[in-house]
Amino acid sequence: MSAAPFLPFARPEIGDEEIAEVVDTLRSGWITTGPKAQRFERDFAAFLGDEALQCVAVNSATAGLHLALEALRIGPGDEVIVPTHTFTATAEVVRYLGADVRLVDVDAATLNLDPRHVEAAIGPRTKAIVPVHFAGLAADMPALLAIARRHGLKVVEDAAHALPATSGGALVGTLASDATVFSFYANKTITTGEGGMLVTRDAALAKRARVMRLHGIDRDAFDRFTSKVPGWAYAVVAPGFKYNLTDLAAALGLQQLKKAWAFQRRRAAIAAAYDDGFAALPAVRPAPAPAGDIHAWHLYVLRLADGAPVDRDTLIERLFAAGIGCSVHYIPLHRQPYWRDRYRLDAAMFPASDDAYRRLVSLPIYPGMTDGDVQRVVEAVRHALH
Ligand SMILES: *Cc1c(COP(=O)(O)O)cnc(C)c1O
């Protein structure tokens, strides 16, 4: 056993700035959705470099994905294409709306949606595609957007891993999809504890999402019948949801967003150190971003190659024994009982994702890791694989 303290798989990077902003919110008398959530939306649009973008702050990325698909009128009888190599949230929101999920395999190198499999999965009921930017590497958006355009499909990006990341030099969030949804869950690249942001250029989509985010309340709809809307007046136009982001959470987001580029640089430096450290091992390192593009490095996913002396589960046990936390991204959806049974799936239908699943481990990668922490992980992986 190692004498060094346990190195967790992930750890949020919360500084004095975040703490002061939360305290300021607590003292302000306004702790739920209010001025800070609004400022976070404006700052987020500015961060993406396009103040014409509409940003809708929500209490999770799951909520944002649900709102985006709801606003696009996905419903019973429709089918939505989702990669099998993702977290269940990407797919579950489709079921919230009574539509069906069509899981497809990923590209073996990037673990992102494979456009060839997407094209083959399109049928008469297909309405939308939800690409995931796995680990922080943008999916092949030019190809996916071209397929969507050709078949008249909507595109909602699950960008839970992708702040900040680029595709063709443009930040994820500014691409030509219908909507993009970011996550600020505790282990994501920036965090509000729980939270998310729906980003869109579609004014009607943004308006619907804002109404459905808070109980289906539309102040403007009330305004139609009155010349002057008093503060207490509101109109309920739909059975909406409770998906608003609190000002307490937005306070964290305001300060985290200012650090997002510094966090990305530190994550990229850790990834580079891992790449060097693992070069000679029987392991496959994660695919880099194309030249000129930015990888968000939310995850560093190493895969055991043929000829590795141990299997993945043993590697994780050895790292844990050395005091290092790790994780698995993901147990693919085709292996999860609900998805497997509902759609009668088996591993042979998703060879790339399934092969990756059996070989992969996610190593610690977060800005608070010291160079010593990174070297400790490198040594422990080398020791386990020699
Ligand atoms: C974290 C995550 C989500 C869900 O984000 P929440 O903010 O926790 O709802 C969705 N998709 C992917 C790929 C994720 O990693």
Side-chain angles (χ1 to χ4, degrees), residues 7-8 270 274 277-278 281 300 302 315 319 322-326 362-366 369-384:
L7 183 73
I270 294 168
Y274 280 163
F278 304 146
L281 296 181
Y300 186 94
L302 191 68
L315 174 60
L319 292 174
I324 293 165
C326 24
S362 296
L363 299 176
I365 184 167
Y366 45 96
M369 288 177 77
T370 65
D371 291 346
D373 292 334
V374 175
Q375 280 318 305
R376 201 179 137 200
V377 176
V378 167
E379 292 306 325
V381 172
R382 279 189 184 154
H383 188 71

PDB file of all heavy atoms in Angstrom, residues 7-8 270 274 277-278 281 300 302 315 319 322-326 362-366 369-384:
ATOM      1  N   LEU A   7      -5.429   9.783  -4.146  1.00  0.00           N
ATOM      2  CA  LEU A   7      -5.603  10.770  -5.213  1.00  0.00           C
ATOM      3  C   LEU A   7      -6.942  10.488  -5.883  1.00  0.00           C
ATOM      4  O   LEU A   7      -7.103   9.473  -6.550  1.00  0.00           O
ATOM      5  CB  LEU A   7      -4.469  10.642  -6.234  1.00  0.00           C
ATOM      6  CG  LEU A   7      -4.492  11.666  -7.370  1.00  0.00           C
ATOM      7  CD1 LEU A   7      -4.091  13.047  -6.877  1.00  0.00           C
ATOM      8  CD2 LEU A   7      -3.579  11.214  -8.506  1.00  0.00           C
ATOM      9  N   PRO A   8      -7.930  11.381  -5.689  1.00  0.00           N
ATOM     10  CA  PRO A   8      -9.249  11.066  -6.232  1.00  0.00           C
ATOM     11  C   PRO A   8      -9.250  11.136  -7.760  1.00  0.00           C
ATOM     12  O   PRO A   8      -8.378  11.769  -8.367  1.00  0.00           O
ATOM     13  CB  PRO A   8     -10.150  12.155  -5.637  1.00  0.00           C
ATOM     14  CG  PRO A   8      -9.243  13.281  -5.310  1.00  0.00           C
ATOM     15  CD  PRO A   8      -7.897  12.680  -5.000  1.00  0.00           C
ATOM     16  N   ILE A 270      -1.515  18.082 -18.550  1.00  0.00           N
ATOM     17  CA  ILE A 270      -1.546  16.769 -17.884  1.00  0.00           C
ATOM     18  C   ILE A 270      -1.684  15.664 -18.944  1.00  0.00           C
ATOM     19  O   ILE A 270      -0.985  14.642 -18.885  1.00  0.00           O
ATOM     20  CB  ILE A 270      -2.692  16.711 -16.856  1.00  0.00           C
ATOM     21  CG1 ILE A 270      -2.421  17.696 -15.709  1.00  0.00           C
ATOM     22  CG2 ILE A 270      -2.871  15.292 -16.320  1.00  0.00           C
ATOM     23  CD1 ILE A 270      -3.616  17.924 -14.783  1.00  0.00           C
ATOM     24  N   TYR A 274       0.844  12.575 -19.640  1.00  0.00           N
ATOM     25  CA  TYR A 274       0.402  11.173 -19.697  1.00  0.00           C
ATOM     26  C   TYR A 274       0.824  10.541 -21.029  1.00  0.00           C
ATOM     27  O   TYR A 274       1.331   9.416 -21.059  1.00  0.00           O
ATOM     28  CB  TYR A 274      -1.125  11.088 -19.557  1.00  0.00           C
ATOM     29  CG  TYR A 274      -1.667  11.187 -18.133  1.00  0.00           C
ATOM     30  CD1 TYR A 274      -3.017  11.466 -17.923  1.00  0.00           C
ATOM     31  CD2 TYR A 274      -0.858  10.959 -17.021  1.00  0.00           C
ATOM     32  CE1 TYR A 274      -3.552  11.536 -16.646  1.00  0.00           C
ATOM     33  CE2 TYR A 274      -1.393  11.030 -15.738  1.00  0.00           C
ATOM     34  CZ  TYR A 274      -2.736  11.314 -15.550  1.00  0.00           C
ATOM     35  OH  TYR A 274      -3.252  11.373 -14.295  1.00  0.00           O
ATOM     36  N   GLY A 277       4.362   9.714 -20.829  1.00  0.00           N
ATOM     37  CA  GLY A 277       4.635   8.671 -19.845  1.00  0.00           C
ATOM     38  C   GLY A 277       4.190   7.290 -20.284  1.00  0.00           C
ATOM     39  O   GLY A 277       4.740   6.275 -19.846  1.00  0.00           O
ATOM     40  N   PHE A 278       3.192   7.228 -21.157  1.00  0.00           N
ATOM     41  CA  PHE A 278       2.624   5.931 -21.545  1.00  0.00           C
ATOM     42  C   PHE A 278       3.090   5.482 -22.931  1.00  0.00           C
ATOM     43  O   PHE A 278       2.635   4.447 -23.438  1.00  0.00           O
ATOM     44  CB  PHE A 278       1.091   5.997 -21.522  1.00  0.00           C
ATOM     45  CG  PHE A 278       0.517   6.429 -20.188  1.00  0.00           C
ATOM     46  CD1 PHE A 278      -0.639   7.194 -20.123  1.00  0.00           C
ATOM     47  CD2 PHE A 278       1.139   6.065 -18.999  1.00  0.00           C
ATOM     48  CE1 PHE A 278      -1.171   7.593 -18.900  1.00  0.00           C
ATOM     49  CE2 PHE A 278       0.615   6.461 -17.765  1.00  0.00           C
ATOM     50  CZ  PHE A 278      -0.543   7.232 -17.716  1.00  0.00           C
ATOM     51  N   LEU A 281       4.219   1.843 -23.425  1.00  0.00           N
ATOM     52  CA  LEU A 281       3.415   0.789 -22.786  1.00  0.00           C
ATOM     53  C   LEU A 281       2.492   0.095 -23.795  1.00  0.00           C
ATOM     54  O   LEU A 281       2.159   0.668 -24.833  1.00  0.00           O
ATOM     55  CB  LEU A 281       2.561   1.397 -21.667  1.00  0.00           C
ATOM     56  CG  LEU A 281       3.326   2.002 -20.492  1.00  0.00           C
ATOM     57  CD1 LEU A 281       2.332   2.548 -19.457  1.00  0.00           C
ATOM     58  CD2 LEU A 281       4.245   0.978 -19.854  1.00  0.00           C
ATOM     59  N   TYR A 300      -9.222  11.660 -19.578  1.00  0.00           N
ATOM     60  CA  TYR A 300      -8.083  11.025 -20.239  1.00  0.00           C
ATOM     61  C   TYR A 300      -8.342   9.527 -20.172  1.00  0.00           C
ATOM     62  O   TYR A 300      -8.266   8.921 -19.102  1.00  0.00           O
ATOM     63  CB  TYR A 300      -6.759  11.381 -19.560  1.00  0.00           C
ATOM     64  CG  TYR A 300      -5.564  10.841 -20.330  1.00  0.00           C
ATOM     65  CD1 TYR A 300      -4.898  11.647 -21.269  1.00  0.00           C
ATOM     66  CD2 TYR A 300      -5.127   9.527 -20.161  1.00  0.00           C
ATOM     67  CE1 TYR A 300      -3.830  11.156 -21.996  1.00  0.00           C
ATOM     68  CE2 TYR A 300      -4.060   9.022 -20.892  1.00  0.00           C
ATOM     69  CZ  TYR A 300      -3.418   9.847 -21.803  1.00  0.00           C
ATOM     70  OH  TYR A 300      -2.354   9.355 -22.536  1.00  0.00           O
ATOM     71  N   LEU A 302      -7.411   5.869 -21.264  1.00  0.00           N
ATOM     72  CA  LEU A 302      -6.356   4.990 -21.763  1.00  0.00           C
ATOM     73  C   LEU A 302      -6.958   3.621 -22.042  1.00  0.00           C
ATOM     74  O   LEU A 302      -7.796   3.143 -21.278  1.00  0.00           O
ATOM     75  CB  LEU A 302      -5.256   4.877 -20.701  1.00  0.00           C
ATOM     76  CG  LEU A 302      -3.948   4.210 -21.120  1.00  0.00           C
ATOM     77  CD1 LEU A 302      -3.196   5.070 -22.131  1.00  0.00           C
ATOM     78  CD2 LEU A 302      -3.066   3.952 -19.892  1.00  0.00           C
ATOM     79  N   LEU A 315      -6.095  -3.713 -13.676  1.00  0.00           N
ATOM     80  CA  LEU A 315      -5.397  -2.421 -13.697  1.00  0.00           C
ATOM     81  C   LEU A 315      -6.048  -1.452 -12.708  1.00  0.00           C
ATOM     82  O   LEU A 315      -5.360  -0.794 -11.919  1.00  0.00           O
ATOM     83  CB  LEU A 315      -5.409  -1.835 -15.111  1.00  0.00           C
ATOM     84  CG  LEU A 315      -4.842  -0.414 -15.249  1.00  0.00           C
ATOM     85  CD1 LEU A 315      -3.377  -0.363 -14.800  1.00  0.00           C
ATOM     86  CD2 LEU A 315      -4.974   0.081 -16.688  1.00  0.00           C
ATOM     87  N   LEU A 319      -4.299   0.251  -9.447  1.00  0.00           N
ATOM     88  CA  LEU A 319      -4.220   1.704  -9.258  1.00  0.00           C
ATOM     89  C   LEU A 319      -4.875   2.091  -7.935  1.00  0.00           C
ATOM     90  O   LEU A 319      -4.349   2.922  -7.188  1.00  0.00           O
ATOM     91  CB  LEU A 319      -4.870   2.438 -10.437  1.00  0.00           C
ATOM     92  CG  LEU A 319      -4.116   2.314 -11.762  1.00  0.00           C
ATOM     93  CD1 LEU A 319      -4.910   2.947 -12.901  1.00  0.00           C
ATOM     94  CD2 LEU A 319      -2.733   2.947 -11.664  1.00  0.00           C
ATOM     95  N   ALA A 322      -2.686   1.461  -5.173  1.00  0.00           N
ATOM     96  CA  ALA A 322      -1.620   2.474  -5.122  1.00  0.00           C
ATOM     97  C   ALA A 322      -2.176   3.833  -4.702  1.00  0.00           C
ATOM     98  O   ALA A 322      -1.465   4.836  -4.750  1.00  0.00           O
ATOM     99  CB  ALA A 322      -0.933   2.568  -6.486  1.00  0.00           C
ATOM    100  N   GLY A 323      -3.452   3.873  -4.334  1.00  0.00           N
ATOM    101  CA  GLY A 323      -4.040   5.116  -3.834  1.00  0.00           C
ATOM    102  C   GLY A 323      -4.493   6.052  -4.928  1.00  0.00           C
ATOM    103  O   GLY A 323      -4.548   7.271  -4.733  1.00  0.00           O
ATOM    104  N   ILE A 324      -4.831   5.498  -6.099  1.00  0.00           N
ATOM    105  CA  ILE A 324      -5.236   6.334  -7.233  1.00  0.00           C
ATOM    106  C   ILE A 324      -6.646   5.950  -7.672  1.00  0.00           C
ATOM    107  O   ILE A 324      -6.910   4.783  -7.993  1.00  0.00           O
ATOM    108  CB  ILE A 324      -4.236   6.167  -8.397  1.00  0.00           C
ATOM    109  CG1 ILE A 324      -2.872   6.747  -7.975  1.00  0.00           C
ATOM    110  CG2 ILE A 324      -4.754   6.842  -9.672  1.00  0.00           C
ATOM    111  CD1 ILE A 324      -1.735   6.341  -8.855  1.00  0.00           C
ATOM    112  N   GLY A 325      -7.531   6.937  -7.686  1.00  0.00           N
ATOM    113  CA  GLY A 325      -8.901   6.698  -8.115  1.00  0.00           C
ATOM    114  C   GLY A 325      -8.988   6.738  -9.638  1.00  0.00           C
ATOM    115  O   GLY A 325      -8.283   7.502 -10.285  1.00  0.00           O
ATOM    116  N   CYS A 326      -9.809   5.909 -10.214  1.00  0.00           N
ATOM    117  CA  CYS A 326     -10.074   6.018 -11.655  1.00  0.00           C
ATOM    118  C   CYS A 326     -11.523   5.631 -11.907  1.00  0.00           C
ATOM    119  O   CYS A 326     -12.265   5.338 -10.978  1.00  0.00           O
ATOM    120  CB  CYS A 326      -9.115   5.199 -12.505  1.00  0.00           C
ATOM    121  SG  CYS A 326      -8.354   3.832 -11.727  1.00  0.00           S
ATOM    122  N   SER A 362     -10.425   5.528 -17.212  1.00  0.00           N
ATOM    123  CA  SER A 362     -10.270   6.983 -17.156  1.00  0.00           C
ATOM    124  C   SER A 362      -9.374   7.315 -15.969  1.00  0.00           C
ATOM    125  O   SER A 362      -9.679   6.940 -14.837  1.00  0.00           O
ATOM    126  CB  SER A 362     -11.623   7.661 -16.969  1.00  0.00           C
ATOM    127  OG  SER A 362     -12.460   7.415 -18.080  1.00  0.00           O
ATOM    128  N   LEU A 363      -8.270   8.027 -16.262  1.00  0.00           N
ATOM    129  CA  LEU A 363      -7.305   8.375 -15.219  1.00  0.00           C
ATOM    130  C   LEU A 363      -7.611   9.772 -14.665  1.00  0.00           C
ATOM    131  O   LEU A 363      -8.246  10.583 -15.341  1.00  0.00           O
ATOM    132  CB  LEU A 363      -5.893   8.348 -15.805  1.00  0.00           C
ATOM    133  CG  LEU A 363      -5.461   6.980 -16.352  1.00  0.00           C
ATOM    134  CD1 LEU A 363      -4.083   7.089 -17.006  1.00  0.00           C
ATOM    135  CD2 LEU A 363      -5.433   5.931 -15.241  1.00  0.00           C
ATOM    136  N   PRO A 364      -7.134  10.062 -13.459  1.00  0.00           N
ATOM    137  CA  PRO A 364      -7.374  11.396 -12.893  1.00  0.00           C
ATOM    138  C   PRO A 364      -6.834  12.486 -13.824  1.00  0.00           C
ATOM    139  O   PRO A 364      -5.724  12.366 -14.348  1.00  0.00           O
ATOM    140  CB  PRO A 364      -6.581  11.379 -11.582  1.00  0.00           C
ATOM    141  CG  PRO A 364      -6.453   9.932 -11.232  1.00  0.00           C
ATOM    142  CD  PRO A 364      -6.372   9.199 -12.543  1.00  0.00           C
ATOM    143  N   ILE A 365      -7.617  13.523 -14.068  1.00  0.00           N
ATOM    144  CA  ILE A 365      -7.159  14.692 -14.838  1.00  0.00           C
ATOM    145  C   ILE A 365      -7.991  15.890 -14.393  1.00  0.00           C
ATOM    146  O   ILE A 365      -9.180  15.955 -14.655  1.00  0.00           O
ATOM    147  CB  ILE A 365      -7.217  14.440 -16.368  1.00  0.00           C
ATOM    148  CG1 ILE A 365      -6.652  15.642 -17.138  1.00  0.00           C
ATOM    149  CG2 ILE A 365      -8.618  14.087 -16.848  1.00  0.00           C
ATOM    150  CD1 ILE A 365      -6.368  15.366 -18.619  1.00  0.00           C
ATOM    151  N   TYR A 366      -7.349  16.794 -13.654  1.00  0.00           N
ATOM    152  CA  TYR A 366      -8.040  18.014 -13.211  1.00  0.00           C
ATOM    153  C   TYR A 366      -6.997  19.040 -12.808  1.00  0.00           C
ATOM    154  O   TYR A 366      -5.861  18.691 -12.455  1.00  0.00           O
ATOM    155  CB  TYR A 366      -9.018  17.719 -12.076  1.00  0.00           C
ATOM    156  CG  TYR A 366      -8.528  16.831 -10.969  1.00  0.00           C
ATOM    157  CD1 TYR A 366      -8.004  17.358  -9.795  1.00  0.00           C
ATOM    158  CD2 TYR A 366      -8.598  15.449 -11.100  1.00  0.00           C
ATOM    159  CE1 TYR A 366      -7.567  16.534  -8.772  1.00  0.00           C
ATOM    160  CE2 TYR A 366      -8.158  14.616 -10.080  1.00  0.00           C
ATOM    161  CZ  TYR A 366      -7.643  15.167  -8.924  1.00  0.00           C
ATOM    162  OH  TYR A 366      -7.196  14.337  -7.914  1.00  0.00           O
ATOM    163  N   MET A 369      -4.358  18.927  -9.853  1.00  0.00           N
ATOM    164  CA  MET A 369      -3.298  17.922  -9.739  1.00  0.00           C
ATOM    165  C   MET A 369      -1.939  18.607  -9.859  1.00  0.00           C
ATOM    166  O   MET A 369      -1.718  19.426 -10.751  1.00  0.00           O
ATOM    167  CB  MET A 369      -3.418  16.880 -10.856  1.00  0.00           C
ATOM    168  CG  MET A 369      -4.585  15.934 -10.680  1.00  0.00           C
ATOM    169  SD  MET A 369      -4.702  14.793 -12.087  1.00  0.00           S
ATOM    170  CE  MET A 369      -3.372  13.637 -11.716  1.00  0.00           C
ATOM    171  N   THR A 370      -1.018  18.223  -8.984  1.00  0.00           N
ATOM    172  CA  THR A 370       0.356  18.729  -9.088  1.00  0.00           C
ATOM    173  C   THR A 370       1.124  17.879 -10.103  1.00  0.00           C
ATOM    174  O   THR A 370       0.678  16.777 -10.468  1.00  0.00           O
ATOM    175  CB  THR A 370       1.072  18.626  -7.734  1.00  0.00           C
ATOM    176  OG1 THR A 370       1.184  17.226  -7.407  1.00  0.00           O
ATOM    177  CG2 THR A 370       0.307  19.359  -6.629  1.00  0.00           C
ATOM    178  N   ASP A 371       2.283  18.383 -10.531  1.00  0.00           N
ATOM    179  CA  ASP A 371       3.136  17.570 -11.412  1.00  0.00           C
ATOM    180  C   ASP A 371       3.506  16.265 -10.709  1.00  0.00           C
ATOM    181  O   ASP A 371       3.628  15.218 -11.345  1.00  0.00           O
ATOM    182  CB  ASP A 371       4.402  18.342 -11.793  1.00  0.00           C
ATOM    183  CG  ASP A 371       4.093  19.518 -12.720  1.00  0.00           C
ATOM    184  OD1 ASP A 371       2.966  19.577 -13.261  1.00  0.00           O
ATOM    185  OD2 ASP A 371       4.983  20.383 -12.882  1.00  0.00           O
ATOM    186  N   GLY A 372       3.676  16.333  -9.398  1.00  0.00           N
ATOM    187  CA  GLY A 372       3.978  15.122  -8.624  1.00  0.00           C
ATOM    188  C   GLY A 372       2.829  14.125  -8.677  1.00  0.00           C
ATOM    189  O   GLY A 372       3.055  12.914  -8.820  1.00  0.00           O
ATOM    190  N   ASP A 373       1.596  14.618  -8.602  1.00  0.00           N
ATOM    191  CA  ASP A 373       0.421  13.733  -8.709  1.00  0.00           C
ATOM    192  C   ASP A 373       0.422  13.036 -10.076  1.00  0.00           C
ATOM    193  O   ASP A 373       0.144  11.835 -10.179  1.00  0.00           O
ATOM    194  CB  ASP A 373      -0.882  14.534  -8.589  1.00  0.00           C
ATOM    195  CG  ASP A 373      -1.111  15.109  -7.198  1.00  0.00           C
ATOM    196  OD1 ASP A 373      -0.581  14.542  -6.220  1.00  0.00           O
ATOM    197  OD2 ASP A 373      -1.838  16.126  -7.104  1.00  0.00           O
ATOM    198  N   VAL A 374       0.723  13.817 -11.122  1.00  0.00           N
ATOM    199  CA  VAL A 374       0.693  13.274 -12.489  1.00  0.00           C
ATOM    200  C   VAL A 374       1.761  12.189 -12.624  1.00  0.00           C
ATOM    201  O   VAL A 374       1.499  11.090 -13.146  1.00  0.00           O
ATOM    202  CB  VAL A 374       0.903  14.405 -13.529  1.00  0.00           C
ATOM    203  CG1 VAL A 374       0.993  13.831 -14.943  1.00  0.00           C
ATOM    204  CG2 VAL A 374      -0.226  15.439 -13.437  1.00  0.00           C
ATOM    205  N   GLN A 375       2.957  12.467 -12.105  1.00  0.00           N
ATOM    206  CA  GLN A 375       4.031  11.465 -12.198  1.00  0.00           C
ATOM    207  C   GLN A 375       3.696  10.215 -11.394  1.00  0.00           C
ATOM    208  O   GLN A 375       4.039   9.104 -11.782  1.00  0.00           O
ATOM    209  CB  GLN A 375       5.377  12.057 -11.743  1.00  0.00           C
ATOM    210  CG  GLN A 375       6.042  12.894 -12.829  1.00  0.00           C
ATOM    211  CD  GLN A 375       5.947  12.264 -14.233  1.00  0.00           C
ATOM    212  OE1 GLN A 375       6.352  11.128 -14.456  1.00  0.00           O
ATOM    213  NE2 GLN A 375       5.358  12.991 -15.191  1.00  0.00           N
ATOM    214  N   ARG A 376       3.003  10.418 -10.293  1.00  0.00           N
ATOM    215  CA  ARG A 376       2.593   9.273  -9.471  1.00  0.00           C
ATOM    216  C   ARG A 376       1.658   8.360 -10.269  1.00  0.00           C
ATOM    217  O   ARG A 376       1.791   7.135 -10.233  1.00  0.00           O
ATOM    218  CB  ARG A 376       1.872   9.803  -8.220  1.00  0.00           C
ATOM    219  CG  ARG A 376       1.839   8.838  -7.081  1.00  0.00           C
ATOM    220  CD  ARG A 376       1.135   9.490  -5.899  1.00  0.00           C
ATOM    221  NE  ARG A 376       0.242   8.516  -5.299  1.00  0.00           N
ATOM    222  CZ  ARG A 376      -0.782   8.832  -4.512  1.00  0.00           C
ATOM    223  NH1 ARG A 376      -1.058  10.087  -4.250  1.00  0.00           N
ATOM    224  NH2 ARG A 376      -1.526   7.871  -4.013  1.00  0.00           N
ATOM    225  N   VAL A 377       0.744   8.951 -11.012  1.00  0.00           N
ATOM    226  CA  VAL A 377      -0.169   8.151 -11.840  1.00  0.00           C
ATOM    227  C   VAL A 377       0.626   7.447 -12.942  1.00  0.00           C
ATOM    228  O   VAL A 377       0.439   6.246 -13.185  1.00  0.00           O
ATOM    229  CB  VAL A 377      -1.284   9.035 -12.453  1.00  0.00           C
ATOM    230  CG1 VAL A 377      -2.164   8.206 -13.390  1.00  0.00           C
ATOM    231  CG2 VAL A 377      -2.132   9.674 -11.355  1.00  0.00           C
ATOM    232  N   VAL A 378       1.536   8.187 -13.583  1.00  0.00           N
ATOM    233  CA  VAL A 378       2.344   7.590 -14.658  1.00  0.00           C
ATOM    234  C   VAL A 378       3.109   6.371 -14.117  1.00  0.00           C
ATOM    235  O   VAL A 378       3.085   5.289 -14.718  1.00  0.00           O
ATOM    236  CB  VAL A 378       3.322   8.639 -15.254  1.00  0.00           C
ATOM    237  CG1 VAL A 378       4.367   7.951 -16.139  1.00  0.00           C
ATOM    238  CG2 VAL A 378       2.554   9.700 -16.031  1.00  0.00           C
ATOM    239  N   GLU A 379       3.753   6.551 -12.965  1.00  0.00           N
ATOM    240  CA  GLU A 379       4.542   5.446 -12.390  1.00  0.00           C
ATOM    241  C   GLU A 379       3.654   4.263 -12.035  1.00  0.00           C
ATOM    242  O   GLU A 379       4.017   3.106 -12.265  1.00  0.00           O
ATOM    243  CB  GLU A 379       5.303   5.917 -11.137  1.00  0.00           C
ATOM    244  CG  GLU A 379       6.409   6.919 -11.409  1.00  0.00           C
ATOM    245  CD  GLU A 379       7.405   6.421 -12.458  1.00  0.00           C
ATOM    246  OE1 GLU A 379       7.684   5.211 -12.514  1.00  0.00           O
ATOM    247  OE2 GLU A 379       7.885   7.263 -13.256  1.00  0.00           O
ATOM    248  N   ALA A 380       2.487   4.536 -11.479  1.00  0.00           N
ATOM    249  CA  ALA A 380       1.603   3.450 -11.060  1.00  0.00           C
ATOM    250  C   ALA A 380       1.091   2.679 -12.276  1.00  0.00           C
ATOM    251  O   ALA A 380       0.992   1.445 -12.233  1.00  0.00           O
ATOM    252  CB  ALA A 380       0.433   4.014 -10.254  1.00  0.00           C
ATOM    253  N   VAL A 381       0.766   3.386 -13.357  1.00  0.00           N
ATOM    254  CA  VAL A 381       0.286   2.699 -14.568  1.00  0.00           C
ATOM    255  C   VAL A 381       1.430   1.886 -15.162  1.00  0.00           C
ATOM    256  O   VAL A 381       1.262   0.723 -15.553  1.00  0.00           O
ATOM    257  CB  VAL A 381      -0.269   3.714 -15.587  1.00  0.00           C
ATOM    258  CG1 VAL A 381      -0.576   3.034 -16.928  1.00  0.00           C
ATOM    259  CG2 VAL A 381      -1.543   4.379 -15.037  1.00  0.00           C
ATOM    260  N   ARG A 382       2.630   2.487 -15.239  1.00  0.00           N
ATOM    261  CA  ARG A 382       3.802   1.763 -15.770  1.00  0.00           C
ATOM    262  C   ARG A 382       4.067   0.498 -14.956  1.00  0.00           C
ATOM    263  O   ARG A 382       4.287  -0.569 -15.518  1.00  0.00           O
ATOM    264  CB  ARG A 382       5.049   2.660 -15.684  1.00  0.00           C
ATOM    265  CG  ARG A 382       5.167   3.650 -16.802  1.00  0.00           C
ATOM    266  CD  ARG A 382       6.543   4.284 -16.676  1.00  0.00           C
ATOM    267  NE  ARG A 382       6.727   5.334 -17.660  1.00  0.00           N
ATOM    268  CZ  ARG A 382       7.575   6.359 -17.474  1.00  0.00           C
ATOM    269  NH1 ARG A 382       8.271   6.463 -16.355  1.00  0.00           N
ATOM    270  NH2 ARG A 382       7.702   7.254 -18.421  1.00  0.00           N
ATOM    271  N   HIS A 383       4.018   0.656 -13.636  1.00  0.00           N
ATOM    272  CA  HIS A 383       4.291  -0.475 -12.753  1.00  0.00           C
ATOM    273  C   HIS A 383       3.259  -1.593 -13.004  1.00  0.00           C
ATOM    274  O   HIS A 383       3.633  -2.771 -13.080  1.00  0.00           O
ATOM    275  CB  HIS A 383       4.221  -0.008 -11.304  1.00  0.00           C
ATOM    276  CG  HIS A 383       4.659  -1.040 -10.323  1.00  0.00           C
ATOM    277  ND1 HIS A 383       5.966  -1.436 -10.179  1.00  0.00           N
ATOM    278  CD2 HIS A 383       3.930  -1.799  -9.456  1.00  0.00           C
ATOM    279  CE1 HIS A 383       6.038  -2.379  -9.269  1.00  0.00           C
ATOM    280  NE2 HIS A 383       4.823  -2.627  -8.795  1.00  0.00           N
ATOM    281  N   ALA A 384       2.009  -1.215 -13.178  1.00  0.00           N
ATOM    282  CA  ALA A 384       0.953  -2.214 -13.360  1.00  0.00           C
ATOM    283  C   ALA A 384       1.062  -2.897 -14.717  1.00  0.00           C
ATOM    284  O   ALA A 384       0.622  -4.046 -14.874  1.00  0.00           O
ATOM    285  CB  ALA A 384      -0.417  -1.560 -13.218  1.00  0.00           C
TER     286      ALA A 384
END
